Amino acid sequence: MSRENILIVGGYGEVGSKMATMLLTSYPNKIWIAGRSFEKAKQFCAQHHHLAKPIQMDVSKTVNAQQLANVALVIMCLEQKDTAFAHLCLKEGIMYIDITASYAFLKKLEELHPIAIQNNATAVFSVGMAPGLTNLMAMHAAQQLASIEKLHISILLGAGDTHGNAAILWILHQLNIPFYSYKNKKTTNFTNRRKVPFKELGKRSVYQFNFSDQHTLAKHFPTIPIMTRLGFDVESLNWFVSFLQKSRIAKLLKFNKIQTTLASLIQKIKIGSEVCGIHVEAIGEKHHKEAVFTLDFLDRDESLVTAKVATAIAKELLNNKHPFGTYHIEELFTLETLQAQFTFSSQ
């Protein structure tokens, strides 16, 4: 059976809709927009001259393999509780892309490697701005030195950006969940402040945060500390979130209702800009001397950046042969894969 369609789960959401719009220019009438709301899927397709097909699909429940007939690639834009749907896709020999940022879930997806190999399927994870672009930038920076001692990854988000509700909820949820960093050190999110220069913006405060890139990159550099930090373009917001973390108020965020209310307020109160940026600093040796290599990226609209990364990887999978199995983005691709989409500056 010839498979040719692209199924985007969450295709009418903040990231999925932008991804679908870009893919439609290359694959008209081959994009399926899936989600729990058939009405929202239909509305998106109507807005795009019915060049996409609406599908009602709830991946939190059992999905029948027949619903995936003629699907070549699935792009997952939703957070999931288990890997049942991803397992089904790979069992059917369907290529799979996931943009989740949750390391706990990514570890579960990695376990599907044998299933993907058995059924001649390829899955790519860590596809987005962070993780994703951060992984590729960190690998590129590290490769510019003869040896590496430290890797610092700093992520800047614009306080005025229209972040998807799920992204905001994820950040708030992480404040109460400690993680284990280099040498199994227990670390609290939004602590260990560092001032970092971002291209065109100047210095901003960033704080250690449990993005998955630092964990997956540790497989390539097991003997060096890799730290990912997060900050916002508005310093007062950085101070406020840091204050929340240090005070007992942060403990209230473990309640879903309070998380949802605060996430809604953040989306309504527009301070700052739509800027987003990444600053990677590799520290080590080159030509037998101490050396530092920095790589910078600055753009607008974090969800659009994630959509561009996922779209580029989708085209790579559809147009070229890649090994079967499950991989993080840096295991199959390099920064050069995204050179046409983005501009980087190095020092």
Side-chain angles (χ1 to χ4, degrees):
M1 178 177 65
S2 175
R3 295 181 179 272
E4 60 179 9
N5 295 311
I6 303 166
L7 175 70
I8 305 177
V9 183
Y12 48 76
E14 187 73 29
V15 176
S17 60
K18 292 170 182 174
M19 196 184 304
T21 301
M22 286 186 280
L23 285 169
L24 276 171
T25 60
S26 300
Y27 306 97
N29 300 307
K30 292 184 179 180
I31 307 296
W32 292 2
I33 305 298
R36 285 181 292 185
S37 173
F38 186 62
E39 285 304 313
K40 288 181 180 179
K42 275 204 309 182
Q43 187 178 9
F44 175 88
C45 295
Q47 290 169 349
H48 291 79
H49 312 290
H50 300 285
L51 293 174
K53 177 182 176 181
I55 300 287
Q56 199 286 323
M57 183 180 288
D58 186 349
V59 295
S60 67
K61 299 176 181 177
T62 302
V63 176
N64 193 302
Q66 291 180 335
Q67 291 178 270
L68 301 176
N70 206 26
V71 172
L73 169 67
V74 166
I75 306 175
M76 176 56 66
C77 301
L78 302 178
E79 292 295 323
Q80 301 172 86
K81 292 183 179 178
D82 59 58
T83 61
F85 180 73
H87 186 283
L88 173 64
C89 293
L90 298 178
K91 189 177 178 183
E92 292 297 311
I94 298 170
M95 293 180 288
Y96 181 89
I97 290 173
D98 203 308
I99 69 169
T100 185
S102 168
Y103 182 57
F105 191 74
L106 286 171
K107 284 195 292 185
K108 294 179 183 177
L109 288 173
E110 288 173 355
E111 294 171 4
L112 299 177
H113 187 70
I115 300 297
I117 291 176
Q118 289 168 19
N119 296 280
N120 299 337
T122 302
V124 186
F125 315 134
S126 303
V127 179
M129 182 176 130
L133 196 51
T134 52
N135 300 51
L136 298 180
M137 287 177 65
M139 290 294 289
H140 181 84
Q143 289 162 2
Q144 307 313 304
L145 302 179
S147 64
I148 185 163
E149 296 170 6
K150 285 182 183 177
L151 256 179
H152 292 287
I153 303 167
S154 300
I155 299 161
L156 187 80
L157 297 180
D161 198 354
T162 310
H163 300 289
N165 197 55
I168 295 172
L169 283 171
W170 182 79
I171 290 173
L172 293 176
H173 183 65
Q174 295 299 313
L175 290 182
N176 276 304
I177 304 175
F179 66 99
Y180 292 90
S181 55
Y182 180 66
K183 289 190 175 179
N184 220 25
K185 181 184 177 183
K186 190 174 183 180
T187 305
T188 302
N189 277 300
F190 229 79
T191 58
N192 302 323
R193 173 177 170 265
R194 192 172 192 244
K195 278 271 194 175
V196 169
F198 285 93
K199 179 184 171 184
E200 298 175 21
L201 295 177
K203 289 188 176 182
R204 292 294 187 277
S205 298
V206 289
Y207 305 78
Q208 268 193 276
F209 207 85
N210 192 22
F211 279 97
S212 64
D213 49 16
Q214 60 200 310
H215 304 298
T216 55
L217 288 168
K219 298 175 186 176
H220 306 283
F221 309 102
T223 61
I224 69 160
I226 304 172
M227 285 167 277
T228 300
R229 288 179 170 86
L230 169 68
F232 299 96
D233 63 330
V234 177
E235 278 291 274
S236 58
L237 183 57
N238 289 326
W239 176 88
F240 175 68
V241 178
S242 177
F243 167 75
L244 277 181
Q245 181 57 275
K246 292 173 184 175
S247 69
R248 295 181 179 180
I249 300 172
K251 293 181 180 178
L252 294 174
L253 294 174
K254 65 183 178 182
F255 298 108
N256 291 336
K257 190 172 181 180
I258 294 177
Q259 278 186 23
T260 304
T261 302
L262 188 54
S264 179
L265 283 172
I266 290 171
Q267 286 189 304
K268 289 176 182 175
I269 301 171
K270 293 296 179 186
I271 57 171
S273 67
E274 293 185 344
V275 72
C276 60
I278 301 168
H279 176 85
V280 173
E281 182 180 349
I283 301 170
E285 286 190 357
K286 190 172 185 178
H287 305 309
H288 306 290
K289 295 181 180 179
E290 290 185 5
V292 176
F293 182 87
T294 61
L295 187 61
D296 287 280
F297 165 79
L298 193 73
D299 211 322
R300 303 184 74 81
D301 190 347
E302 177 267 334
S303 63
L304 180 59
V305 172
T306 289
K308 284 181 178 179
V309 173
T311 298
I313 299 305
K315 289 181 177 180
E316 281 287 330
L317 288 182
L318 291 164
N319 297 334
N320 302 295
K321 290 284 186 181
H322 293 284
F324 302 131
T326 62
Y327 303 92
H328 291 279
I329 192 170
E330 80 282 356
E331 294 177 304
L332 289 183
F333 305 101
T334 65
L335 195 62
E336 282 67 32
T337 308
L338 303 176
Q339 291 282 19
Q341 280 74 32
F342 304 114
T343 302
F344 307 95
S345 59
S346 59
Q347 189 173 322

